[in-house]
Amino acid sequence: MSDASTPVAPAVPRSGLDRYFGVSAQGSTVSREVRAGLTTFLTMSYILFVNPQVLGTAIKVPNAFVQLLMTTAIAAAFGSLVMGLVARYPFAQAPGMGLNAFFAFTVVQGLGIPWQTALGAVFISGVLFVLLSVLGARQAIVQAIPNSLKFAITGGIGAFLAFLGLKNAGIVVSNPATLVGLGSLTAAPVWIALVGLILAAVLMSRRVTGAILWSILATSILAMLTRAPVYAGGANGGLRPFPGFEGSFLGIFGAPVWPSGLVGQLDIAGALGLGLLSVVFTFFFVDFFDATGTLTGLAQRAGFLDASGNMPRARRLFAMDGLAAMFGAFMGTSTTTAYVESASGIGEGGRTGLTAVTVGVLFLLAMFLWPLAAAIPGAATAPALIVVGALMMEGVRHVDWDDISDGLPAFLTIIAMPLTFSIANGVSLGVISYAAIKLLSGRGRQVSPILYGVAALLLARYLWLME
């Protein structure tokens, strides 16, 4: 029987892979990391189809959908690989939702800016990310954010994830009278998702290894066997029961297409024009706080933050985020950033860069098997987002709710993310309200000067740069 004072021997790496990523040191295993990567990929693989649909409204090249799908896969693979291999964190990256909509609908279509010039603006913002990361500015800002807001960011991301899952499943739908409402519980995506949600919760409560992944696979099979109309494309009102399996096994394969119409088309010189500085600034600010909030929340959820709220290798972590944005712009897609769906892999036990590397490899394979990716319906991955969202709410109990100067900014951070469909908005409202309430209540010294500066810049953005 061991004594409490007996030192615990460090875990001995079992392989070179284990040693490089520190798998055993994190109390994990190679198989668990790979499984976590597969789970993350399944929950975020929708971007392969959604991003081309969004950007295709603004980027006009031959065979646009396939080219955009390929560049999305390449950008996601690169971003995830550098995050895993260099930063060694289990955070996957891909072209960000919301940022792609801003790129397509606001900048290109709304302002009439050529898509090549908009890509140049994305590239410049990525350069700024890297410079600020190397200089330690991003880390300094993270350190200036109080712990109450860090916990709130985690909880807000959880609420955002859950809302996204409910929306993807059709459980929550738009309503012209009340903005949102309850969807039809008899609709196929809804009952498939509810079955998956219950199954995931039961498996997790029984401590079944890979519970979230088994839930995704089981509900996908259930959708196929019942021929539930949960797949986009094909017949039956735009729905098909067996995507990629219509009569031929070879239907699951698709030859990769090099996105020659997109690669290297960015116009950096045009983006540096005086009239576009506000666009560059907006790209920079939105992604800065979106990615910083996401990475901080994921790090807190994974247990990487120390008692002071700092995370190791922060400069390298943030630099890889900026590098991914630069590479994505060169390849022809909107800002590549850390994905909140990485929380699903963390929920499966992913704790090292091997998880992100697995995601990157799977995105490369998706270039060959992209028709097969449609076999995982959104109704099957939606429960994973809801379950992980619930798990991420755990940290809000550490917020001092009895102190209104801490509690209200935390609440605004949490509630704004799902209601405005933006992590950046949640972080912004939280920071601005925290600084203002502390200052006006005579407790201004509790706020870092850096946070005051950030709050002022955020307020300026809302007042002068948003239309």
Side-chain angles (χ1 to χ4, degrees):
M1 185 172 181
S2 62
D3 185 88
S5 61
T6 303
V8 179
V12 179
R14 299 178 181 179
S15 64
L17 197 66
D18 187 338
R19 185 178 302 106
Y20 181 83
F21 290 105
V23 176
S24 295
Q26 287 291 336
S28 186
T29 64
V30 170
S31 61
R32 183 184 301 164
E33 296 295 313
V34 172
R35 184 175 64 246
L38 177 58
T39 301
T40 297
F41 173 77
L42 289 176
T43 57
M44 65 184 290
S45 59
Y46 67 86
I47 195 61
L48 289 170
F49 305 97
V50 177
N51 195 53
Q53 291 172 354
V54 174
L55 294 183
T57 63
I59 297 178
K60 305 301 181 182
V61 294
N63 202 14
F65 183 87
V66 175
Q67 286 205 56
L68 285 167
L69 187 149
M70 292 298 158
T71 204
T72 299
I74 294 171
F78 177 86
S80 299
L81 287 172
V82 296
M83 183 63 75
L85 292 171
V86 181
R88 302 186 190 181
Y89 275 102
F91 308 147
Q93 300 196 86
M97 290 296 295
L99 290 164
N100 55 6
F102 174 74
F103 179 100
F105 302 124
T106 301
V107 177
V108 178
Q109 295 187 33
L111 299 178
I113 295 172
W115 60 267
Q116 297 91 337
T117 306
L119 287 176
V122 173
F123 183 88
I124 295 170
S125 68
V127 173
L128 293 176
F129 294 149
V130 173
L131 289 177
L132 289 179
S133 300
V134 172
L135 295 174
R138 290 183 76 174
Q139 183 181 6
I141 292 174
V142 171
Q143 292 174 342
I145 298 175
N147 285 335
S148 61
L149 285 186
K150 287 177 180 175
F151 287 121
I153 289 171
T154 305
I157 292 174
F160 180 80
L161 271 178
F163 184 74
L164 184 62
L166 292 168
K167 175 180 176 293
N168 290 348
I171 298 174
V172 172
V173 297
S174 61
N175 186 300
T178 60
L179 294 182
V180 294
L182 180 66
S184 173
L185 297 183
T186 60
V190 174
W191 69 259
I192 289 289
L194 291 176
V195 170
L197 181 61
I198 295 173
L199 178 60
V202 170
L203 293 177
M204 291 181 71
S205 67
R206 291 180 172 272
R207 301 186 182 278
V208 174
T209 302
I212 296 177
L213 178 58
W214 287 121
S215 171
I216 293 174
L217 297 178
T219 48
S220 297
I221 293 173
L222 176 63
M224 294 178 189
L225 294 178
T226 60
R227 294 181 176 269
V230 294
Y231 296 99
N236 193 19
L239 301 172
R240 56 185 172 145
F242 287 89
F245 298 96
E246 292 88 349
S248 172
F249 179 74
L250 294 179
I252 68 175
F253 295 100
V257 176
W258 180 249
S260 57
L262 300 171
V263 177
Q265 297 300 310
L266 68 171
D267 181 8
I268 299 176
L272 288 173
L274 183 61
L276 291 186
L277 289 181
S278 64
V279 175
V280 174
F281 186 70
T282 301
F283 267 125
F284 170 76
F285 247 74
V286 171
D287 187 46
F288 181 93
F289 285 97
D290 197 322
T292 302
T294 298
L295 290 170
T296 302
L298 291 173
Q300 194 278 328
R301 173 61 190 164
F304 294 137
L305 301 184
D306 60 22
S308 301
N310 303 319
M311 62 180 109
R313 307 185 306 280
R315 294 192 184 192
R316 193 184 308 173
L317 168 68
F318 291 128
M320 291 307 100
D321 175 63
L323 183 62
M326 294 171 58
F327 179 82
F330 176 80
M331 292 301 302
T333 184
S334 55
T335 309
T336 301
T337 186
Y339 251 59
V340 69
E341 284 84 352
S342 301
S344 61
I346 293 173
E348 278 296 316
R351 291 295 182 274
T352 75
L354 183 56
T355 294
V357 169
T358 301
V359 176
V361 171
L362 289 173
F363 269 113
L364 290 178
L365 292 177
M367 297 175 63
F368 297 87
L369 299 172
W370 57 268
L372 181 61
I376 307 295
T381 58
L385 299 179
I386 298 170
V387 169
V388 172
L391 294 176
M392 294 188 73
M393 292 297 293
E394 179 270 340
V396 301
R397 62 189 176 92
H398 298 294
V399 176
D400 185 4
W401 295 106
D402 293 328
D403 185 347
I404 192 67
S405 65
D406 280 347
L408 182 59
F411 174 76
L412 291 175
T413 300
I414 295 169
I415 200 68
M417 289 188 190
L419 293 187
T420 66
F421 220 70
S422 168
I423 294 173
N425 282 340
V427 175
S428 299
L429 291 179
V431 169
I432 293 171
S433 61
Y434 182 88
I437 293 172
K438 290 289 188 181
L439 178 63
L440 297 176
S441 60
R443 301 163 67 180
R445 292 186 178 180
Q446 296 180 8
V447 181
S448 166
I450 294 177
L451 198 66
Y452 278 125
V454 171
L457 289 174
L458 289 172
L459 186 59
R461 171 181 172 261
Y462 280 116
L463 292 176
W464 291 302
L465 294 181
M466 295 189 67
E467 296 182 358

